[in-house]
Amino acid sequence: MTAVDPMPLVAVLDALGQFLRPSTLAEVFVNGLSKAALYAMIAGGLTLIFGLMGVLNFAHGSLTMLGAYLGGLVLVLAVGQATGPLARIGAFFAAVVVVFGVLAALGGVLEAGLIRPLYDRPPIYQILLTFGVTLVLDELARIVVGFYGLQPISDWQAALGTKPGVLSASYDLAGVSVRGLAVFEILVGTVTVAAVWTFLTRTRYGLVVRAGSEDSEMTEALGIDVRRVFTTVFALGAGIAGVAGLLLAWDPVWGASVPLASDTLLPAFVVVIIGGLGTFRGTVYAALLVGLVDATMTWWFVNAIDFSGLPQMTIFLILVLVLVLKPQGLFGVSEVGGH
């Protein structure tokens, strides 16, 4: 009889003891919050379009990718070698305004010109159309990037180089190593979520948006132009996707590249489905769940088990588990879309 090698078990127990240290738990928690902030921003625009309007927007990832490149271009033009950290962060928020405006305008044009005629048709038409838009946008980006001598598959290093040193460094806070970029991502994600939440729940136009998504006929009977409302929602969702791409352009895990479109599309749909269609609150909670689980699994499969691909698999395992136990998602409603 062959004896069982105790070394793997000993290694797992040692890793468990290290993981349960307060400093390690705090570090994983901060990393989980930063991942959750990114997931909330990536999926935030999609949940407005997919959840409130019922539009299957497969071009969402491409809009995020365009936001990364456009924002990176603004940063590269605005930031020089002598630019200080505060000026670089100021350039980032200036790029936010540019990216949001351009992507929102593009989203409004796409909705009014291409998607609006398909509202009364089966969802397969939306899938085919937005998938075609994805192919066109990705190839255009590939052509433009290649024309200027950049590698479309590799991360755009010039955009990454505009990140200030205070965000690239790590800081020791009470024995916990915290990345400056992680804190910045948490702050930007929190502000974005709070802004969208306030818009939907505390403004008159947000009330109109929710009313139009619930019952478009009754909303139109009250004299409200529902078509304009849907165009605004689509534009808002596209703008948020672009801002998320800008933030990813500073993150070395993501970076600005053409494959960013597909890399962000699947997690966005996963977060929206886990949270439940038709609810922005569900998307936020799902982003928190996925971000914390992703950070935990990343730690385990980097420090204890040499299999770096499994953290991404856990996201889809969460999706399968939620669909089995609660098919409508954590906070899902029975129907979405107002057309």
Side-chain angles (χ1 to χ4, degrees):
M1 181 178 296
T2 304
V4 178
D5 186 3
M7 291 305 296
L9 179 59
V10 172
V12 170
L13 291 177
D14 289 341
L16 179 61
Q18 182 180 355
F19 177 76
L20 293 177
R21 294 175 182 173
S23 59
T24 303
L25 290 175
E27 182 178 345
V28 171
F29 180 71
V30 172
N31 290 333
L33 289 182
S34 68
K35 289 177 179 289
L38 291 177
Y39 286 135
M41 290 189 65
I42 294 171
L46 184 62
T47 196
L48 292 177
I49 298 171
F50 184 28
L52 294 178
M53 298 172 59
V55 175
L56 296 166
N57 180 27
F58 276 75
H60 184 79
S62 297
L63 297 174
T64 304
M65 177 267 296
L66 292 179
Y69 272 118
L70 178 60
L73 176 62
V74 174
L75 290 172
V76 169
L77 293 177
V79 173
Q81 292 293 334
T83 306
L86 291 180
R88 294 190 179 208
I89 294 177
F92 174 87
F93 287 106
V96 166
V97 176
V98 174
V99 169
F100 183 85
V102 173
L103 267 296
L106 176 60
V109 171
L110 289 176
E111 191 279 338
L114 297 177
I115 298 175
R116 184 181 296 175
L118 302 182
Y119 283 149
D120 295 328
R121 298 193 180 187
I124 187 63
Y125 286 86
Q126 299 173 6
I127 295 175
L128 294 176
L129 173 65
T130 56
F131 184 72
V133 170
T134 294
L135 297 179
V136 172
L137 293 179
D138 289 1
E139 287 306 312
L140 286 176
R142 195 183 305 273
I143 292 171
V144 173
V145 169
F147 178 79
Y148 285 99
L150 302 177
Q151 291 293 330
I153 304 301
S154 303
D155 294 341
W156 189 10
Q157 296 302 314
L160 284 171
T162 61
K163 181 173 58 179
V166 292
L167 300 186
S168 301
S170 296
Y171 303 92
D172 189 4
L173 302 177
V176 179
S177 178
V178 178
R179 295 180 299 119
L181 181 61
V183 176
F184 186 73
E185 289 171 344
I186 293 172
L187 293 176
V188 174
T190 301
V191 170
T192 302
V193 169
V196 176
W197 185 278
T198 301
F199 169 75
L200 291 175
T201 61
R202 294 293 184 267
T203 66
R204 180 178 178 82
Y205 204 85
L207 177 62
V208 172
V209 168
R210 291 186 289 130
S213 66
E214 292 292 335
D215 192 335
S216 61
E217 294 183 358
M218 179 61 70
T219 306
E220 286 182 338
L222 295 175
I224 298 173
D225 189 350
V226 175
R227 290 185 176 183
R228 182 179 298 177
V229 171
F230 285 153
T231 302
T232 301
V233 171
F234 202 97
L236 180 61
I240 294 173
V243 174
L246 170 59
L247 187 58
L248 296 179
W250 266 3
D251 194 318
V253 177
W254 300 85
S257 65
V258 175
L260 183 66
S262 58
D263 292 342
T264 55
L265 180 63
L266 285 178
F269 269 108
V270 167
V271 170
V272 171
I273 293 171
I274 291 176
L277 304 182
T279 165
F280 183 75
R281 179 184 64 169
T283 298
V284 175
Y285 280 104
L288 283 171
L289 173 64
V290 172
L292 292 173
V293 172
D294 187 6
T296 301
M297 292 298 101
T298 298
W299 187 94
W300 274 97
F301 291 113
V302 169
N303 295 277
I305 304 173
D306 188 14
F307 197 162
S308 59
L310 281 179
Q312 287 73 31
M313 289 179 56
T314 57
I315 297 176
F316 297 96
L317 292 177
I318 297 172
L319 173 63
V320 172
L321 182 62
V322 170
L323 290 179
V324 170
L325 299 178
K326 198 173 183 183
Q328 72 272 24
L330 298 178
F331 298 92
V333 294
S334 58
E335 296 180 0
V336 295
H339 27 265

